[in-house]
C-alpha cells in the first residue's frame, strides 16, 4: 500500500473502487463491516455500489439506489459492472452489478445527480429525541440490561447511540412497537456524505427486535434516496416497520443531519426472523 | 383478436405480455393509460414489468419491484427482456428491461414470491377516512371548485374518490401539507391483485399539488413492495411527501385493501414541479 493511504479512513478504504487493467472496476470487500460471521452489512455494500456508479457518471452524488440482494456477500475481491443509461444535465442512470466468486450478489439501479444546498420547500421535521449524550452507547458486546449488543464489526465501525425510548429490546423489555431511533456517526471520525448515508440506511438492528423477534432479517431489496448533502456531525436515524407478516418485514428509514434536515430515506423488504 | 379476448378487462388487456416467435417477450402499450399527452402512467408500466417477471418465475407474485424511469414512455409495441437471477423455494430475483423504439425506457429489479394469507404479526392500521360514498369523485375534466381534474386516461380507467380532507387543491385551497388519500378501484370492475397494486402505487396526482405546485412530477425511480393479496373491493391509497427541495420530491404510498389490511407500500423519487 502506498504511504499516502495511511490517512484514508476505514470507510473510504473499505469502499474503494479501482479500475482494473482491462478497463473494469474492482473492489476488495473489508471483513470489518460484518453483521455476524462473514456476512457483510447491506448498507456497506450499497456504498461500494454507489462509489462505482459515480466513478462513471457525469454527476457526483447517488440520489436513488435500489438493489436486490441476490445472495449473502462475504469479504474479498469483487468486480463491479456499470452499464450506463441515459445521462443529462440534471441526472444520469446506470445499472450496477457487484459479483464475487459465487457470481452476482447485488444487482442495482442507480440514479446520480448533483445535490445542492437549496432550502427545502417542505421538509418533514426531525422527531424529538434526547441529545447524543443522553442516549445509550451500543458497542459490540455491551450488555444494556438484557440482550447483549451483538459483537459485529458494523457496530465497531459506526458509533451508535440508541434513543432510550426505543431501546427496550436491549434491556429485555421489547416495546411491542417496531421502531428504533439512534444517533450514528463513523467511528473513524469521517464526516457524513451521500456515500455514508447509503451505509446509514441499513445500520440499525431489525426493528422486529422491538416486537421480540430477535433473529437476523436478511435484506431482499433496498431502496435509498439521498435528499441533501449532510452537515458534519452525528446523523439521526429512525427505522420503523409497517407490517410483519408471512415471513416478511419492511424497514423504513428516515435520516436527519446534525442541523435537523432530512437528508435520506430508505425502504427495504427483508425476511422476518422466525 | 380472438373472440375470447372480449371478456378480458382493460387492465389485463393493456398489461398483456406475449411470447414472440424468437422466445422473447413483447407487449403493446395501450394509449388509454396516459397521464397527459402520450405519456403513460408509471404504475401502469410497472404492472407490465411485473407481468413479464412472473411469466418466467417459479413464483406467481411480484413482492418487490424497483424501476428506474430512463425516459418518458408512450404507447405502442415494446419488448421485455427478463434476466433471471437466483431462484429458490421462498423467492426469485430477476432484472427486467422494457424497451421501445427509442431504446430502453424502464430498467427494473424484481423479486417474486408466493404470497399467502398469514395473519400479520404487526400491521400499521389504516388511517381513519370517510367511506367511499362521502368522498369526492374525481373524474377527468370534473371541476370540484377550483383546479379541474386533468383529462387524462388514467383517471378514466381508475375510479378515484378523494378524501375531502386532502382534496383542498381541487377546490383552489391547497392544504399546505403534501398528503393525499383516496379510495381507488379499476373502473372495468376487475378486482385488485398484486399487479393492480403496482398500478395503484403511482395512481394519485403529485402530493406537491397540496402545497400549490400544480405541474407534473415525472418519476425518476419507484420501488413498490406488495405485502399481501388484496381482498376484493376498493383500496385506500395514502400518498405523502417527506421533502420537497432542490427540484426533487419523494412520494411515499401506503395501500390498504377493503378489509383494512396493509397490502402494498411504495416510494418514488420524482422531479418536483417548478
Amino acid at each position: 500500500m502506498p504511504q499516502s493511504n495511511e490517512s484514508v479512513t476505514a470507510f473510504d478504504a473499505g469502499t474503494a473502487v479501482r479500475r482494473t487493467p482491462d478497463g473494469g472496476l474492482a473492489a476488495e470487500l473489508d471483513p470489518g463491516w460484518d453483521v455476524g460471521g462473514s456476512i457483510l452489512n447491506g448498507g456497506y455494500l450499497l456504498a461500494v455500489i454507489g462509489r462505482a456508479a459515480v466513478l462513471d457518471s457525469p454527476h457526483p452524488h447517488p440520489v436513488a439506489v435500489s438493489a436486490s440482494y441476490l445472495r449473502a456477500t462475504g469479504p474479498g475481491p469483487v468486480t463491479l459492472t456499470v452499464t450506463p443509461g441515459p445521462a443529462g444535465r440534471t441526472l444520469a442512470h446506470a445499472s450496477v452489478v457487484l459479483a464475487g466468486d459465487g457470481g452476482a450478489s447485488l444487482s442495482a439501479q442507480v440514479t446520480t445527480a448533483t445535490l445542492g444546498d437549496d432550502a427545502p420547500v417542505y421538509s418533514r421535521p426531525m422527531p424529538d429525541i434526547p441529545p447524543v449524550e443522553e442516549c445509550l452507547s451500543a458497542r459490540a458486546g455491551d450488555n444494556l440490561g438484557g440482550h447483549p449488543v451483538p459483537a459485529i464489526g458494523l457496530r465497531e465501525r459506526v458509533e451508535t447511540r440508541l434513543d432510550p425510548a426505543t431501546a427496550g429490546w436491549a434491556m429485555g423489555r421489547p416495546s411491542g412497537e417496531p421502531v428504533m431511533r439512534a444517533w450514528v456517526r463513523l467511528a473513524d471520525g469521517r464526516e457524513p456524505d451521500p456515500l455514508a448515508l447509503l451505509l446509514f440506511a441499513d445500520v440499525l438492528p431489525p426493528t422486529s427486535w422491538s416486537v421480540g423477534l430477535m433473529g437476523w432479517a436478511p435484506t431482499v431489496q433496498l431502496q435509498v434516496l439521498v435528499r441533501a448533502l449532510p452537515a458534519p456531525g452525528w446523523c439521526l436515524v429512525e427505522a420503523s416497520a409497517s407490517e410483519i407478516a408471512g415471513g416478511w418485514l419492511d424497514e423504513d428509514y428516515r435520516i436527519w443531519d446534525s442541523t435537523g434536515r432530512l437528508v435520506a430515506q430508505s425502504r427495504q423488504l427483508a425476511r422476518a426472523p422466525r
Side-chain angles (χ1 to χ4, degrees), chain A residues 11-12 51 61 186 190-200 226 228-231 235:
Chain A
F11 178 72
D12 289 313
R51 209 182 271 283
H61 305 129
L186 288 164
R190 183 190 185 280
E191 295 296 354
D193 69 353
L195 293 173
L197 294 176
L198 298 181
L199 168 68
F200 293 166
V226 177
L229 297 175
C235 287

Side-chain angles (χ1 to χ4, degrees), chain A residues 7 12 27 35 46 55 64 85 93 110-111 116 132 141 149 158 160-161 186 194 209 219 234 237-238 247 249 262 268:
Chain A
S7 63
D12 289 313
V35 291
L46 215 59
L55 258 186
H93 293 284
V110 183
T111 304
V132 174
V149 176
V158 181
T160 307
R161 304 285 178 90
L186 288 164
W209 289 13
T219 301
W234 293 87
V237 176
E238 180 181 64
L249 165 75
L262 183 76
Q268 67 173 268

Side-chain angles (χ1 to χ4, degrees), chain A residues 177-219:
Chain A
E177 283 293 310
V179 177
M180 282 190 202
R181 287 184 290 270
W183 295 104
V184 296
R185 69 177 178 189
L186 288 164
D188 59 21
R190 183 190 185 280
E191 295 296 354
D193 69 353
L195 293 173
L197 294 176
L198 298 181
L199 168 68
F200 293 166
D202 186 33
V203 79
L204 296 184
T207 56
S208 46
W209 289 13
S210 289
V211 297
L213 299 170
M214 300 300 293
W216 284 109
T219 301

Side-chain angles (χ1 to χ4, degrees), chain A residues 62-225:
Chain A
V63 295
V65 182
S66 286
S68 287
Y69 288 72
L70 308 178
R71 41 175 72 84
T73 305
V78 292
T79 61
L80 292 131
T81 306
V82 178
T83 307
R89 276 191 313 159
T90 306
L91 57 88
H93 293 284
S95 297
V96 182
V97 175
L98 181 153
D101 280 349
S105 60
L106 264 79
S107 183
Q109 306 298 328
V110 183
T111 304
T112 48
T114 304
L115 291 168
D117 56 359
D118 305 53
V121 176
Y122 175 88
S123 188
R124 180 86 48 104
M126 190 166 86
D128 191 26
I129 90 152
V132 174
E133 56 276 13
E134 293 173 23
C135 289
L136 300 170
S137 176
R139 292 185 110 151
D142 277 2
N143 191 322
L144 303 177
H147 188 79
V149 176
I152 62 175
L154 177 66
R155 209 60 63 213
E156 297 292 334
R157 295 282 171 92
V158 181
E159 276 192 80
T160 307
R161 304 285 178 90
L162 300 166
D163 178 356
T166 66
W169 56 269
M171 287 166 287
R173 298 187 304 273
S175 67
E177 283 293 310
V179 177
M180 282 190 202
R181 287 184 290 270
W183 295 104
V184 296
R185 69 177 178 189
L186 288 164
D188 59 21
R190 183 190 185 280
E191 295 296 354
D193 69 353
L195 293 173
L197 294 176
L198 298 181
L199 168 68
F200 293 166
D202 186 33
V203 79
L204 296 184
T207 56
S208 46
W209 289 13
S210 289
V211 297
L213 299 170
M214 300 300 293
W216 284 109
T219 301
V220 172
Q221 193 187 84
L222 169 61
Q223 183 196 50
V224 187
L225 306 184

